[in-house]
Amino acid sequence: MGRKLLLEHANVPEIHTYQVYRAKGGYSAVEKALKMTPDEVMEEVKKSGLRGRGGAGFPTGMKWSFLDRKSEKPRYLVCNADESEPGTFKDRYVMEKIPHLLIEGLICSSFALGSNTTFIYIRGEYKWIVGILEKAIAEAKNAGFLGKNILGSGFNLEIYVNNGAGAYICGEETALLESLEGKRGNPRMKPPFPAISGLYGSPTVVNNVETLAAVVPILNLGGDEYAKIGIGKSTGTKLISACGNIKKPGVYEIDLGLPVYEFLNSDEYCGGIRDGHRLKAVIPGGSSVPILPADLFYKNIKGEERNMSYESLSDGGFVSGSMLGSGGFIAMDETVCIVRNTWTFARFYHHESCGQCSPCREGTGWMEKVLHRLEFGHGHMHDIDLLVDVAKKIEGNTICPLGDAAAWPVAAAIRHFREEFEYHVTHADKVKNSRLAHLDDYKKELVLL
Amino acid sequence: MEIPVTDIKFSDEKLAKVKEIMGRYPEGRSKSALLPVLHIAQKQFGNWLSVPVMDYVASLFQIKPIEVYEVATFYSMYNMKPVGKCFIEFCQTGPCMCSGVEDIMEYTEQKLGIKMGETTRDERFTIKGVECLGACGYAPMAQIGEYYYENLTKEKIDKIIDLFGKDDFNPDHKYDI
Ligand SMILES: Cc1cc2nc3c(=O)[nH]c(=O)nc-3n(C[C@H](O)[C@H](O)[C@H](O)COP(=O)(O)O)c2cc1C
Ligand code: SF4
Ligand code: FES
């Protein structure tokens, strides 16, 4: 069995209650942190090598150190619980199952950053989880871990849950802050970065749910011990939400560096592709990262086995690699039509574009339309290059990274599965309204492993 | 479904809740409560945000109505037109598609005799395809009212249509399907 730092007690009955969580050693990290100085807490996080679990993988300790401490304004910590990247459902698991872990992480992190009011911005659709979190907050307050002068340390903290209302873009940190101010979720131009001018123009840190929860085991173990787990610069454990055509979809905690083969095929994790089918492609880190055909998923271009880490999954760059991203792991078998799948993603990004920049607003619409045309049998050969061209024109030309996130999956799907797109043109009658892939027809030899 | 304009007013209890939420934010920043309050308003006033409802919310915040309209129209969870009492929102993004949600959606359309985006004549059901709801591992799935219904099958759809079409259907309750 793999090591569990976050989910060790996730299946203990009633672990969502304060009493059971406390009996299992919960809130010991807060007790520890409040006996340290804020700088010492930050130092442990730096030493741990923790990297942001929301998708970008930016070192958390470094991000915290950018926070403007000289400002006269109050400082804010905001927890990003917007979780809307297709394939990603890990933050929800933590908040539903073991909400006190997040609250504990928030208290320790707020102390380190000097935030006296901390917000959890949660996606609007997770309505019932708001209740779970608010109950946990009330329990923690009752036990003296929130409110004024926590454990006699002189540190005050209130945590509030603020729900969004259905907008993927509000996961982007500056759009989130706009939304939290009660406005449309339009991303802001950077700089200034939130660390200087964020919520209400105050210095602000935005971190993902899992990142903040990980501060608990970091303080309990010590940053140095935490850093020993994992591989190279990918330290610690990571939650992976696995879905698609696998035997055991769900949320798994892995040591970073776990071989990808083991993650996909062992019974401890995904349990392999469903019976009678074979792996066709994997999107390892949420819909925004490049898709990989089975062979390039298992091994990089040099023939070395890949493992689940930031570095190994991105080995090969955009030509032959992908990214760990948010940990939204989507495995597809040979029945999945790549064109149709890519079309649903393009529709998603078009729907979610905030509309501020024309390359993103118009480009995502174009990509959706052209992919629809191909999938429904009205496409032309030159449409395929048109898609590549549109994707290129969006990439790098927008205010926020949603434009890139929309462009990359389309570009990667065409790069690795061009024949399948071409087949949709040459055999338009056959593909029309057919939901399945047409593998047997075009006899593309898949590398079977 | 239309509520007379004079009846668009929160109860004292709801109003207290609204004030409490507004008070969470610093001086002069109570607009931060707009999204949560619009959720409360939508729920209270027939599951959609009519112009008079949005105007009422604007008056509570002492902001211009346009500031409420521009926010309400940005977010997909605010309904800009009436929906049925049982509003079934199927996730139709990639991972759910791989897991067969399209068959389930088609089955539901046939069973109710309406297309995605439509409401049944008796105003009991509205069905819609939406984008990823963060339940990709438990696909096919749909959000109905406050809760998610996951690992859907045609049998489960039969049960949902049977149970949720009844007069006593409560969208705030999690049913065991
Ligand atoms: C379009 C878009 C959507 C995003 N959605 C999320 C999200 O749902 N949750 C999240 O934690 N980060 C999301 N991010 C990343 C955030 O902008 C930010 O980097 C993150 O919250 C930082 O936290 P971390 O350093 O702990 O990962 C998104 C970014 C973009 C560009
Ligand atoms: S890239 Fe797209 S989502 Fe991001 S700011 Fe521009 S239009 Fe909005
Ligand atoms: S793709 Fe359907 S819930 Fe995520």
Side-chain angles (χ1 to χ4, degrees), chain A residues 162 164 180 183 200 340 435, chain B residues 25 32 39 75 102 106:
Chain A
N162 190 304
L180 192 47
K183 300 185 231 157
Y200 313 130
R340 196 174 184 87
R435 283 171 191 164
Chain B
Y25 306 94
S32 278
H39 280 298
Y75 296 94
E102 292 167 304
E106 206 169 80

Side-chain angles (χ1 to χ4, degrees), chain A residues 76 87 89 92 123 125 127 161-162 164-166 179-180 182-185 200 245 249 340-341 344 347 435, chain B residues 25-26 29 31-32 39 70 74-77 92 94 102-103 106 131-134 136-137 143 146 148 150:
Chain A
Y76 290 105
F89 48 101
R92 164 187 171 191
R123 69 175 297 176
E125 291 88 345
K127 295 177 199 179
V161 187
N162 190 304
S179 183
L180 192 47
K183 300 185 231 157
R184 293 165 75 92
Y200 313 130
N245 307 124
R340 196 174 184 87
N341 188 65
T344 73
R347 185 187 61 210
R435 283 171 191 164
Chain B
Y25 306 94
R29 299 290 186 179
K31 195 181 165 190
S32 278
H39 280 298
E70 65 172 12
F74 184 84
Y75 296 94
S76 64
M77 285 176 75
Q92 53 175 353
E102 292 167 304
D103 292 339
E106 206 169 80
E131 304 296 347
C132 182
L133 290 171
C136 330
Q143 171 153 42
E146 296 282 295
Y148 284 6
E150 300 172 329

Side-chain angles (χ1 to χ4, degrees), chain A residues 366-367 370 373 381-392 414:
Chain A
W366 269 77
M367 292 199 299
V370 175
R373 191 147 90 203
M381 254 338 160
H382 60 244
D383 280 341
I384 302 170
D385 288 324
L386 178 63
L387 281 172
V388 176
D389 190 46
V390 174
K392 257 197 209 130
I414 295 176

Side-chain angles (χ1 to χ4, degrees), chain B residues 89-109:
Chain B
E89 297 173 272
F90 294 95
C91 168
Q92 53 175 353
T93 315
C96 281
M97 185 210 65
C98 295
S99 309
V101 74
E102 292 167 304
D103 292 339
I104 298 289
M105 289 167 76
E106 206 169 80
Y107 180 75
T108 313
E109 286 184 334

Side-chain angles (χ1 to χ4, degrees), chain A residues 108 151 202 236 335:
Chain A
C108 300
L151 306 182
S202 285
T335 62

Side-chain angles (χ1 to χ4, degrees), chain A residues 76 83-89 92-93 117 119 121 123-128 134 160-167 169-170 175 178-186 199-201 242-245 249-251 274 330-332 335-337 340-341 343-345 347-348 351-354 435, chain B residues 17 20-21 23-26 29-37 39 42-43 47 63 67 69-78 89 91-104 106 128-139 141 143-148 150-151:
Chain A
Y76 290 105
E83 190 163 68
S84 320
E85 166 104 351
T88 315
F89 48 101
R92 164 187 171 191
Y93 189 88
T117 313
F119 295 101
Y121 182 93
R123 69 175 297 176
E125 291 88 345
Y126 287 171
K127 295 177 199 179
W128 72 100
E134 285 183 339
Y160 297 113
V161 187
N162 190 304
N163 44 344
I169 191 56
C170 292
E178 286 287 300
S179 183
L180 192 47
E181 292 181 6
K183 300 185 231 157
R184 293 165 75 92
N186 288 342
L199 186 64
Y200 313 130
C243 64
N245 307 124
V251 176
R274 59 187 174 153
I330 312 166
M332 291 174 268
T335 62
V336 174
C337 171
R340 196 174 184 87
N341 188 65
W343 163 60
T344 73
F345 286 161
R347 185 187 61 210
F348 171 82
H351 184 258
E352 303 300 340
S353 165
C354 84
R435 283 171 191 164
Chain B
K17 176 79 191 162
E20 185 269 312
I21 297 176
R24 295 173 182 179
Y25 306 94
R29 299 290 186 179
S30 63
K31 195 181 165 190
S32 278
L34 186 53
L35 270 66
V37 172
H39 280 298
Q42 168 156 299
K43 211 162 149 186
N47 211 11
I63 56 179
E67 290 183 67
Y69 307 160
E70 65 172 12
V71 166
T73 51
F74 184 84
Y75 296 94
S76 64
M77 285 176 75
Y78 300 127
E89 297 173 272
C91 168
Q92 53 175 353
T93 315
C96 281
M97 185 210 65
C98 295
S99 309
V101 74
E102 292 167 304
D103 292 339
I104 298 289
E106 206 169 80
K128 192 176 167 195
V130 298
E131 304 296 347
C132 182
L133 290 171
C136 330
Y138 322 111
M141 63 79 61
Q143 171 153 42
I144 305 173
E146 296 282 295
Y147 291 99
Y148 284 6
E150 300 172 329
N151 300 309

Side-chain angles (χ1 to χ4, degrees), chain A residues 65-389:
Chain A
S65 70
F66 294 153
L67 187 73
D68 182 3
R69 284 150 188 284
K70 296 199 193 76
S71 166
E72 308 263 289
K73 295 181 177 162
R75 299 192 282 267
Y76 290 105
L77 171 64
V78 177
C79 171
N80 188 342
D82 193 57
E83 190 163 68
S84 320
E85 166 104 351
T88 315
F89 48 101
K90 64 181 178 77
D91 297 337
R92 164 187 171 191
Y93 189 88
V94 172
M95 295 186 287
E96 261 189 300
K97 286 254 181 182
I98 181 160
H100 282 283
L101 180 70
L102 175 61
I103 307 302
E104 184 174 6
L106 285 173
I107 301 170
C108 300
S109 309
S110 301
F111 175 69
L113 294 164
S115 167
N116 302 115
T117 313
T118 289
F119 295 101
I120 303 174
Y121 182 93
I122 186 167
R123 69 175 297 176
E125 291 88 345
Y126 287 171
K127 295 177 199 179
W128 72 100
I129 302 178
V130 175
I132 296 175
L133 290 172
E134 285 183 339
K135 187 156 169 279
I137 290 168
E139 286 176 342
K141 195 163 180 176
N142 217 8
F145 286 105
L146 282 173
K148 294 234 179 309
N149 191 17
I150 300 168
L151 306 182
S153 65
F155 175 61
N156 307 330
L157 176 64
E158 296 294 339
I159 298 177
Y160 297 113
V161 187
N162 190 304
N163 44 344
Y168 165 70
I169 191 56
C170 292
E172 194 281 329
E173 55 185 11
T174 61
L176 186 156
L177 296 174
E178 286 287 300
S179 183
L180 192 47
E181 292 181 6
K183 300 185 231 157
R184 293 165 75 92
N186 288 342
R188 299 175 181 168
M189 288 281 237
K190 294 194 247 188
F193 288 89
I196 308 297
S197 175
L199 186 64
Y200 313 130
S202 285
T204 304
V205 166
V206 181
N207 273 132
N208 173 257
V209 169
E210 186 190 346
T211 312
L212 293 164
V215 172
V216 174
I218 287 171
L219 290 178
N220 283 333
L221 291 173
D224 286 330
E225 277 307 301
Y226 184 89
K228 287 183 190 155
I229 304 164
I231 185 167
K233 287 195 171 135
S234 297
T235 61
T237 64
K238 171 93 188 83
L239 300 180
I240 307 287
S241 57
C243 64
N245 307 124
I246 49 176
K247 284 203 192 111
K248 290 169 54 198
V251 176
Y252 299 102
E253 181 170 5
I254 60 161
D255 278 15
L256 283 165
L258 179 79
V260 295
Y261 186 88
E262 190 180 335
F263 180 68
L264 180 56
N265 294 295
S266 91
D267 285 335
E268 196 183 333
Y269 304 109
C270 304
I273 292 293
R274 59 187 174 153
D275 284 330
H277 294 275
R278 56 186 200 267
L279 181 67
K280 178 175 182 179
V282 172
I283 299 173
S287 62
S288 305
V289 311
I291 189 171
L292 290 176
D295 53 342
L296 277 178
F297 166 65
Y298 282 127
K299 292 183 178 159
N300 67 15
I301 200 91
K302 290 168 272 176
E304 295 155 356
E305 307 233 344
R306 280 194 207 270
N307 60 59
M308 301 288 285
S309 66
Y310 294 97
E311 291 74 22
S312 179
L313 286 173
S314 59
D315 194 323
F318 280 178
V319 179
S320 62
S322 184
M323 284 192 273
L324 180 65
S326 62
F329 185 93
I330 312 166
M332 291 174 268
D333 68 20
E334 82 290 350
T335 62
V336 174
C337 171
I338 299 295
V339 179
R340 196 174 184 87
N341 188 65
T342 311
W343 163 60
T344 73
F345 286 161
R347 185 187 61 210
F348 171 82
Y349 289 107
H350 181 213
H351 184 258
E352 303 300 340
S353 165
C354 84
Q356 277 193 109
C357 347
S358 23
C360 170
R361 181 186 62 237
E362 304 302 323
T364 51
W366 269 77
M367 292 199 299
E368 183 195 348
K369 259 188 230 149
V370 175
L371 280 160
H372 184 275
R373 191 147 90 203
L374 286 165
E375 171 59 14
F376 289 85
H378 312 293
H380 306 284
M381 254 338 160
H382 60 244
D383 280 341
I384 302 170
D385 288 324
L386 178 63
L387 281 172
V388 176
D389 190 46

